[in-house]
Amino acid sequence: MASHESNYTPGTAIEKWVDDRLPIIRWSKTHLMDFPTPKNLNFWWTFGAILVMCLAIQIITGVVLAMHYTPHVSLAFDSVEHIRRDVNGGRIIQAVHATGASMFFFALYVHMFRGLYFGSYKAPREILWILGVLIFALVMATAFMGYVLPWGQMSFWAATVITNILGAIPVLGTPILELLRGGFAVDNATLNRFFSLHYLLPFIIAAVVGLHIWALHVPGNNNPVGVEVKSERDTLPFHPFYTMKDLFAVVVFCIPFAWFVFFAPDILGHPDNYIQANPLVTPPHIVPEWYFLPFYAILRAIDFNILFIDSKLGGVIFFAGSILILFVVPWLDTSKVRSGTFRPVFKWFFWLFVLNFLALTYLGAAPAEGVYVLLSKIATAYYFLYFLVILPLLGRLETPRPLPTSISESVLAHH
């Protein structure tokens, strides 16, 4: 699908001179404009473009904020207030960056759940999926380090609690923990390390995104019916059909984004983070940002020993496993049918998985006591059962509905 011939012809002598030496215009036209794209892509497929926009916004605003931020425990909190109050446009830039992290994760979760439903991880797109999960892991690391930089109460104590889990790893845990913190406790060295990594990682993410797009262009896009392209009748050129569709989706996405920035920039943050970090005062309830809550709930759900593994190490294993398991999803799903549209039983388990993920988000913010602990255990169990038991068994036991013979047949059937 991605091996189509370019029909680009240089229009001027200068274009021809450039094309003979660096065919970047030819490459852009072939892979960005004329790239054959399945004609049945819906708006769930626009979140890739939305994520590229979000990444660009985070990098640009992050570079500007770094010009005014001071990574020192005595000055970090005040430097953020200085940006908000004294820097020209600083209040908007800081709000866009802080709100942009939440919007980034919202779009990222939608993008991943779309891939899980429509089977975008199945052959020949396994590497495409693996790169996407790698991006997710890098974004989580970047966001966590960025959350520490304002040096508020929740920033400090979240850093303390989350980095402490590394100490549960046998033998290597303590050296890794001390290397990450730069000492025995979260302090100035930790803040400097996190600032450096938070500034560096977005550029690494951008490079992996480039690989992700490259991996997409080798087999081509998946589509809602999960049927591979069989002829040119099944495709449309990416430009102008999908560039305009993506642009429309980006504009619509920017409306709630702008609302949060201008009318409720602090609503997604924790009130305690507007108090300067104090190592001597522990907040009554330590909560990370909302996009970490499902995995935080899994971490806290393991409060019991598993054979010779104590509860702390067990929590680390389940926490890490909840992300690592996503890398092997292409081999856990044994169904020959790619799209969930034609899998009636799969649909029920998938939507239950979505509700379960939302429940984990809620439970991650709830206190670790009473019925919340039991519900966290149940939700954690279903999270892993979905990947390790349900997906492998459904592929063997489920009878899918008949697939259309081509994308064109599927599109015409709707008209």
Side-chain angles (χ1 to χ4, degrees):
M1 180 175 174
S3 60
H4 60 288
E5 294 295 329
S6 173
N7 59 3
Y8 169 71
T9 302
T12 66
I14 294 177
E15 280 187 49
K16 186 177 185 311
W17 185 86
V18 172
D19 188 61
D20 289 339
R21 290 153 179 81
L22 182 65
I24 189 168
I25 300 175
R26 180 183 298 274
W27 182 89
S28 300
K29 183 165 175 55
T30 303
H31 293 283
L32 301 180
M33 299 178 68
D34 296 337
F35 184 73
T37 308
K39 62 169 63 176
N40 61 340
L41 298 191
N42 54 38
F43 278 101
W44 293 116
W45 265 259
T46 61
F47 279 88
I50 289 170
L51 283 166
V52 171
M53 176 204 69
C54 287
L55 178 60
I57 288 174
Q58 292 303 97
I59 290 176
I60 293 168
T61 56
V63 169
V64 175
L65 291 173
M67 297 175 183
H68 301 277
Y69 176 76
T70 307
H72 190 281
V73 291
S74 301
L75 303 170
F77 185 85
D78 290 336
S79 72
V80 174
E81 289 304 307
H82 165 69
I83 291 169
R84 290 158 64 99
R85 296 169 186 268
D86 302 326
V87 174
N88 289 336
R91 184 70 180 93
I92 296 298
I93 296 170
Q94 186 272 336
V96 168
H97 193 74
T99 305
S102 290
M103 302 303 288
F104 197 156
F105 269 96
F106 172 77
L108 189 54
Y109 282 131
V110 172
H111 192 61
M112 293 180 69
F113 277 111
R114 186 269 292 169
L116 288 171
Y117 181 79
F118 291 108
S120 298
Y121 48 82
K122 295 188 178 182
R125 299 179 178 85
E126 299 95 333
I127 291 181
L128 173 65
W129 173 261
I130 290 169
L131 287 170
V133 177
L134 179 60
I135 292 169
F136 175 59
L138 289 171
V139 169
M140 287 189 72
T142 305
F144 168 65
M145 292 172 184
Y147 187 54
V148 176
L149 300 187
W151 209 243
Q153 272 288 76
M154 202 53 62
S155 294
F156 174 83
W157 287 102
T160 301
V161 171
I162 299 302
T163 55
N164 264 338
I165 69 175
L166 294 172
I169 302 172
V171 184
L172 297 176
T174 301
I176 293 173
L177 177 61
E178 292 177 3
L179 177 65
L180 183 64
R181 286 180 171 178
F184 299 105
V186 175
D187 207 338
N188 193 63
T190 314
L191 185 61
N192 273 279
R193 280 164 166 72
F194 280 24
F195 173 69
S196 299
L197 292 172
H198 182 70
Y199 192 90
L200 172 66
L201 283 175
F203 298 100
I204 297 175
I205 291 170
V208 181
V209 167
L211 286 175
H212 187 63
I213 295 171
W214 184 9
L216 169 67
H217 280 228
V218 174
N221 290 79
N222 186 30
N223 61 86
V225 296
V227 177
E228 293 295 343
V229 169
K230 291 182 170 62
S231 69
E232 291 187 4
R233 290 182 66 242
D234 293 339
T235 66
L236 294 169
F238 187 76
H239 177 77
F241 297 98
Y242 287 107
T243 50
M244 292 300 102
K245 191 171 189 174
D246 287 349
L247 181 60
F248 174 77
V250 165
V251 171
V252 172
F253 185 82
C254 284
I255 294 172
F257 194 157
W259 184 87
F260 278 109
V261 169
F262 290 107
F263 297 105
D266 301 319
I267 197 171
L268 298 173
H270 196 283
D272 283 2
N273 223 32
Y274 298 95
I275 303 171
Q276 188 166 358
N278 185 348
L280 302 179
V281 178
T282 307
H285 183 40
I286 299 171
V287 182
E289 291 282 70
W290 71 266
Y291 35 80
F292 295 131
L293 292 176
F295 305 100
Y296 187 58
I298 291 172
L299 173 69
R300 296 193 310 176
I302 312 303
D303 59 355
F304 52 91
N305 296 340
I306 306 171
L307 299 178
F308 56 88
I309 300 173
D310 64 27
S311 58
K312 189 174 181 180
L313 178 58
V316 175
I317 292 171
F318 274 76
F319 172 78
S322 63
I323 299 172
L324 294 176
I325 199 171
L326 296 173
F327 284 99
V328 295
V329 170
W331 296 276
L332 295 175
D333 188 349
T334 57
S335 175
K336 303 297 183 184
V337 175
R338 184 174 288 124
S339 175
T341 305
F342 301 96
R343 302 177 62 188
V345 180
F346 166 82
K347 286 182 181 179
W348 288 98
F349 285 105
F350 173 80
W351 289 114
L352 182 58
F353 177 76
V354 174
L355 292 175
N356 185 75
F357 193 80
L358 294 174
L360 282 170
T361 305
Y362 172 77
L363 293 167
E369 59 189 27
V371 71
Y372 297 120
V373 177
L374 176 61
L375 292 175
S376 294
K377 288 181 170 63
I378 295 171
T380 299
Y382 185 76
Y383 181 93
F384 286 97
L385 284 172
Y386 177 80
F387 292 114
L388 297 175
V389 178
I390 294 171
L391 284 183
L393 288 180
L394 277 182
R396 294 176 170 86
L397 302 177
E398 183 183 34
T399 302
R401 289 165 43 207
L403 297 175
T405 57
S406 69
I407 291 173
S408 295
E409 178 187 314
S410 173
V411 172
L412 293 172
H414 287 82
H415 297 279

